[in-house]
Amino acid sequence: MQVFFAILVFIIGIAIATVSFKAKKESVYYLLLSIGTAIFFLGIFIIFPK
């Protein structure tokens, strides 16, 4: 279950980062890219706890 959730978080993070490339405004682009990257690293942290 934990691995499934982590994969889901990876996909959501990559999807948000991908959507940011289609954003017209630069501020929206950087906001979405940073959120997507943060979610992506959250997925890594879920798979590999301390």
Side-chain angles (χ1 to χ4, degrees):
M1 188 66 197
Q2 189 178 7
V3 173
F4 175 75
F5 180 69
I7 291 169
L8 193 69
V9 170
F10 270 133
I11 293 169
I12 292 168
I14 292 168
I16 293 172
T18 305
V19 167
S20 74
F21 288 112
K22 296 184 175 165
K24 301 285 182 222
K25 292 181 182 162
E26 216 170 279
S27 59
V28 176
Y29 167 77
Y30 286 116
L31 180 71
L32 286 172
L33 190 64
S34 61
I35 292 170
T37 307
I39 293 172
F40 182 76
F41 283 110
L42 178 72
I44 293 174
F45 184 73
I46 291 168
I47 292 176
F48 305 110
K50 293 178 185 176

